[in-house]
């Protein structure tokens, strides 16, 4: 039996009534919010691993034979990026894999099954043999993507943005992959080092003109550091940022350190970096804090201080299977500007009706923590 998710008073109270009433429907180009708000004073939804297609059943069986828990956590997928954006998502997440050799055209999982006479879908081998940054979740087993390369994924966002120029700025999460799966004989994955990070900027600029990107230089402004700029009101007004995108490299500080070398406070770079484990770094402006229950007060503090935070309403299919909304509700209440889900649409297989959307299916709302009074 399916159960509808009902928003309780505690959640609805987070949105100022006058602002909620003014919000446009998700499908509208606008969001109903005042252009005078700064982009860190709003709250929107996003999607996790936005490119991910379903794993073929025979490969899922292989995974479950090795780890039933892993199979459960990987058992989700998304519609096209354009459909997600149409439904109100204003953050997408991509997992780039540095691939100068075209190494991922023949995934091991498909080869293992072919030896048993079982044929499963594989990504376009012509495209996958070409060098470039690919987008996939786990090489060899969870490789199916609605956009095979970083440029392809960004081009899909750009096409939607071109057709909806009044949209709230879209945060594009870049979550680099650094190693292969643990199975014997797995395809090697090169670390996403300095060459890959430089290629990342080049790929971004091959799709988006600089004037369509909110970049660290803009937020830093005349401040000595990006961190000071974020805390000092450096985020652009919503009216200036409509139709734009911004990027964040979601990785550990030691992984994004090469991106900062020669670029203090990300001077001249196209992307921000995840400062969750480096809150005092000069580059701190965006925090990826994925545990809204455990880090609830910390997220609120960072939002109130002027930073942008991304968190997750659900993870590993748990909430979708149980219908538990406590994590989702904490995520919204935390004030995190970008709240990510795997379930803009419920997964009918689970029968819980679980989904994560802003109240009223709004495309955006005033931030419950730091928006100005009367927003």
């Amino acid at each position: 039996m399916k159960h509808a998710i009902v928003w309780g008073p505690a959640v609805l109270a987070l949105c100022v009534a006058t602002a909620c009433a003014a919000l446009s429907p998700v499908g509208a180009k606008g969001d109903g919010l005042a252009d005078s708000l700064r982009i860190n004073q709003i709250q929107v939804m996003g999607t996790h691993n936005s490119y991910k297609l379903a794993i073929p059943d025979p490969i899922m069986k292989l995974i479950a034979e090795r780890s039933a828990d892993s199979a459960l956590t990987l058992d989700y997928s998304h519609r096209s990026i354009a459909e997600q954006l149409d439904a109100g998502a204003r953050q997408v997440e991509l997992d780039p894999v540095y691939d100068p050799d075209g190494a991922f055209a023949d995934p091991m999982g498909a080869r293992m099954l072919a030896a048993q006479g079982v044929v499963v879908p594989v990504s376009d081998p012509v495209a996958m043999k070409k060098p470039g940054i690919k987008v996939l979740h786990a090489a060899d087993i969870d490789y199916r993507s609605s956009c095979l390369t970083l440029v392809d994924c960004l081009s899909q966002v750009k096409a939607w943005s071109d057709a909806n120029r009044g949209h709230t700025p879209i945060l594009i999460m870049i979550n680099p992959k650094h190693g292969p799966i643990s199975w014997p004989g797995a395809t090697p994955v090169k670390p996403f080092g300095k060459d890959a990070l430089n290629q990342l900027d080049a790929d971004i600029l091959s799709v988006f003109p600089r004037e369509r990107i909110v970049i660290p230089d803009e937020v830093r402004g005349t401040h000595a550091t990006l961190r000071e700029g974020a805390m000092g009101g450096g985020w652009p007004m919503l009216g200036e940022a409509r139709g734009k995108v911004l990027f964040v490299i979601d990785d550990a500080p030691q992984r994004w350190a090469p991106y900062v070398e020669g670029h203090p406070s990300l001077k001249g770079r196209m992307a921000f970096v995840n400062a969750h484990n480096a809150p005092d770094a000069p580059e701190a402006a965006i925090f990826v804090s994925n545990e809204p229950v455990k880090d609830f007060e910390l997220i609120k503090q960072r939002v109130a201080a002027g930073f942008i935070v991304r968190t997750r309403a659900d993870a590993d299919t748990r909430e979708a299977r149980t219908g538990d909304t406590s994590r989702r509700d904490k995520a919204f209440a935390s004030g995190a500007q970008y709240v990510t889900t795997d379930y803009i649409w419920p997964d009918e297989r689970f029968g819980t009706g679980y989904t994560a959307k802003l109240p009223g299916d709004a495309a955006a709302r005033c931030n419950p923590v730091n928006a100005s009074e009367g927003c």
Side-chain angles (χ1 to χ4, degrees):
M1 180 178 179
K2 299 180 177 63
H3 301 281
I5 300 299
V6 179
W7 288 91
V11 176
L12 293 175
L14 296 173
C15 186
V16 179
T18 54
C20 288
L23 292 174
S24 299
V26 168
K29 293 182 180 180
D31 49 46
L33 296 178
D35 285 349
S36 58
L37 284 171
R38 294 195 182 274
I39 66 170
N40 66 319
Q41 293 180 301
I42 65 175
Q43 188 174 65
V44 302
M45 290 300 305
T47 55
H48 164 249
N49 291 342
S50 313
Y51 58 89
K52 183 175 162 7
L53 299 178
I55 299 174
D57 287 342
I59 292 184
M60 188 64 82
K61 183 178 179 181
L62 289 179
I63 297 169
E65 288 170 353
R66 287 158 176 80
S67 171
D69 286 344
S70 293
L72 287 175
T73 64
L74 294 174
D75 191 16
Y76 66 94
S77 61
H78 288 291
R79 303 183 191 183
S80 72
I81 287 176
E83 287 177 278
Q84 295 168 50
L85 295 170
D86 279 340
R90 295 297 179 266
Q91 177 253 295
V92 297
E93 180 178 358
L94 307 174
D95 289 355
V97 180
Y98 186 50
D99 184 26
D101 306 315
F104 302 103
D106 187 20
M108 183 180 67
R111 292 200 311 273
M112 292 172 63
L113 289 166
Q116 303 172 19
V118 179
V119 177
V120 295
V122 296
S123 302
D124 179 0
V126 175
M128 295 301 282
K129 285 179 181 178
K130 294 179 180 178
I133 297 178
K134 304 304 192 304
V135 173
L136 51 87
H137 190 231
D140 289 319
I141 55 171
D142 193 3
Y143 54 81
R144 298 186 67 226
S145 172
S146 60
C147 45
L148 300 181
T149 67
L150 180 63
V151 168
D152 183 17
C153 295
L154 297 183
S155 297
Q156 291 185 24
V157 177
K158 171 72 159 42
W160 187 92
S161 178
D162 287 346
N164 298 273
R165 288 302 303 276
H167 67 77
T168 310
I170 299 167
L171 176 64
I172 301 177
M173 304 275 301
I174 303 295
N175 187 200
K177 297 295 184 179
H178 296 281
I181 63 171
S182 60
W183 296 12
T187 305
V189 175
K190 294 180 181 295
F192 208 89
K194 191 163 188 175
D195 288 345
L197 291 165
N198 287 334
Q199 185 63 51
L200 169 66
D201 270 12
D203 282 0
I204 288 171
L205 287 172
S206 75
V207 176
F208 288 97
R210 192 180 299 261
E211 61 270 18
R212 294 275 293 277
I213 308 169
V214 177
I215 59 175
D217 286 345
E218 180 180 356
V219 177
R220 187 180 63 256
T222 60
H223 292 85
T225 67
L226 176 57
R227 185 177 189 276
E228 292 176 12
M231 297 179 71
W235 296 105
M237 299 293 187
L238 184 56
E240 301 166 358
R242 292 190 185 282
K244 295 185 179 183
V245 296
L246 62 162
F247 295 85
V248 61
I249 299 171
D250 178 16
D251 217 337
Q254 67 270 24
R255 298 287 195 182
W256 52 250
Y259 192 70
V260 177
E261 290 175 7
H263 300 270
S265 280
L266 297 170
K267 182 178 181 180
R269 285 301 199 181
M270 295 299 103
F272 296 85
V273 294
N274 174 13
H276 181 69
N277 291 316
D280 297 322
E283 294 77 27
I286 295 181
F287 293 78
V288 181
S289 302
N290 286 329
E291 299 297 334
V293 177
K294 178 174 71 72
D295 291 336
F296 180 73
E297 292 299 333
L298 180 61
I299 293 172
K300 287 180 65 177
Q301 291 168 14
R302 288 173 171 172
V303 170
F307 300 113
I308 281 178
V309 180
R310 179 265 206 173
T311 195
R312 292 182 65 178
D314 41 72
D316 299 329
T317 76
R318 291 189 299 266
E319 288 76 16
R321 293 176 188 276
T322 64
D324 182 7
T325 64
S326 56
R327 176 179 176 140
R328 179 197 70 185
D329 298 346
K330 276 289 192 182
F332 287 134
S334 73
Q337 289 89 347
Y338 292 90
V339 179
T340 301
T341 183
D342 286 318
Y343 301 99
I344 285 184
W345 298 276
D347 191 323
E348 299 295 339
R349 298 174 302 164
F350 302 146
T352 66
Y354 174 84
T355 186
K357 296 181 181 180
L358 291 175
D361 285 358
R365 68 172 180 175
C366 297
N367 191 285
V369 170
N370 70 357
S372 55
E373 186 176 353
C375 170

